[in-house]
Amino acid sequence: MIVVVATTEARVAEVRCRLGGLGSRATEIVDAGAMRRLVLAPVEDVGQAELMAAALRAEGEVAVTRPEGGARLEAWRRHTLPTTLGGRLSVCFAWSEHDRQDLPRLVELGPGGFGSGEHPSTRLLLEELVDRIRGGERVLDVGCGSGVLGLGALRLGASHVVAVDVKPTAVEATRRNAALNGMAARMEAILAPLTEIDDAFDVVVANVGRAAVVELAPALVRLLAPGGWLGVSGISPSQCSLVAGFLRPLTEVERRTSGEWAAVVLTRGFSRSRVAGVS
């Protein structure tokens, strides 16, 4: 088993020293791009490797374990391939060994929190952000998970994001990922029900599923600024019209589908809808 620590060039020596203190017999350095170095430490015992990675995470490091070789390593490398959307935004795990030198507007994610851009419900809203963010928007990320939607919006040019969730682990993961990407000053991650938010946002995104959208519908409508847009996801194509009905007086202007998943975009003052199928 290999312990992988994602760090920077300036901290490589410090991380190698800490790994040595935890019993690592050797380390390898992988250059994964201008801003990212990976320190790889082989550990013979699987349980020991997991404990070592957990200890490093408790100290604030971005640390995981990965297979040492064979088919499991190949699967790991496929799973950690960066995702690029519309040529404008990329998402990648911080511990990915794939080169990210030329990836556009990269967002890196550490451990914890739901949402890596791989699941269709997340990807559909990321694609909407790629198409719609023009710069300077104030964004509300409802049910932030890992914070990937808010971070994507910031990387695309949004000015500020409020990320809200009712799960402490999601808020913590979002804060860590904001710091990892140098965006902590522009992202406010809070543990609170949506009803406690009192502001108006140019963009509201909610990848929370049908039941939660219906429950939160009055607050989602209230929090959308005039001329803004709301994107909801985590629903099936057959649920789109039903969900849009609960969000009146907002009007559906776009619908994206990907297999069993769909996202709906709504705004004020428009009547024409566009439906896009996404493979």
Side-chain angles (χ1 to χ4, degrees), residues 2-222:
I2 304 292
V3 174
V4 184
V5 184
T7 188
T8 61
E9 176 68 30
R11 296 195 62 247
V12 165
E14 179 184 348
V15 170
R16 295 182 80 171
C17 180
R18 182 66 184 116
L19 284 165
L22 291 171
S24 171
R25 54 183 170 82
T27 56
E28 174 188 355
I29 309 302
V30 174
D31 182 347
M35 304 299 294
R36 184 62 59 215
R37 299 293 182 270
L38 305 178
V39 183
L40 279 58
V43 180
E44 293 183 3
D45 182 76
V46 174
Q48 181 185 356
E50 295 290 353
L51 289 173
M52 185 182 296
L56 290 164
R57 288 195 298 271
E59 296 171 6
E61 303 290 352
V62 178
V64 296
T65 60
R66 75 142 169 88
E68 192 162 6
R72 292 180 61 201
L73 177 57
E74 292 305 311
W76 161 276
R77 287 179 171 156
R78 287 193 300 271
H79 176 63
T80 57
L81 275 168
T83 298
T84 299
L85 304 103
R88 293 188 64 208
L89 180 69
S90 300
V91 180
C92 171
F93 290 116
W95 52 85
S96 172
E97 295 175 40
H98 298 278
D99 181 65
R100 61 205 76 174
Q101 183 71 41
D102 298 320
L103 295 178
R105 294 181 175 88
L106 177 64
V107 170
E108 290 188 327
L109 299 175
F114 172 81
S116 65
E118 182 179 29
H119 193 276
S121 67
T122 309
R123 186 183 180 100
L124 289 170
L125 284 183
L126 284 170
E127 289 171 342
E128 289 296 340
L129 291 167
V130 166
D131 286 352
R132 293 175 178 275
I133 291 290
R134 295 294 176 261
E137 294 93 341
R138 282 179 48 80
V139 178
L140 176 64
D141 182 359
V142 180
C144 56
S146 67
V148 63
L149 294 175
L151 292 168
L154 288 172
R155 195 65 88 198
L156 289 163
S159 63
H160 186 76
V161 171
V162 174
V164 60
D165 209 300
V166 295
K167 298 179 180 178
T169 53
V171 173
E172 292 165 6
T174 296
R175 290 172 178 167
R176 289 196 302 268
N177 285 329
L180 180 66
N181 288 274
M183 298 181 186
R186 293 194 292 148
M187 173 173 273
E188 179 185 1
I190 57 177
L191 181 69
L194 196 58
T195 52
E196 293 184 5
I197 307 298
D198 186 19
D199 207 340
F201 297 86
D202 305 301
V203 177
V204 179
V205 286
N207 180 20
V208 293
R210 179 194 61 81
V213 171
V214 170
E215 178 185 352
L216 297 172
L220 293 172
V221 173
R222 172 179 61 84

Side-chain angles (χ1 to χ4, degrees), residues 209-255:
R210 179 194 61 81
V213 171
V214 170
E215 178 185 352
L216 297 172
L220 293 172
V221 173
R222 172 179 61 84
L223 291 164
L224 186 65
W229 62 272
L230 164 67
V232 297
S233 188
I235 60 179
S236 69
S238 64
Q239 297 170 337
C240 290
S241 296
L242 173 67
V243 167
F246 279 96
L247 293 165
R248 293 191 181 101
L250 303 185
T251 301
E252 180 182 347
V253 294
E254 184 165 4
R255 185 181 302 184

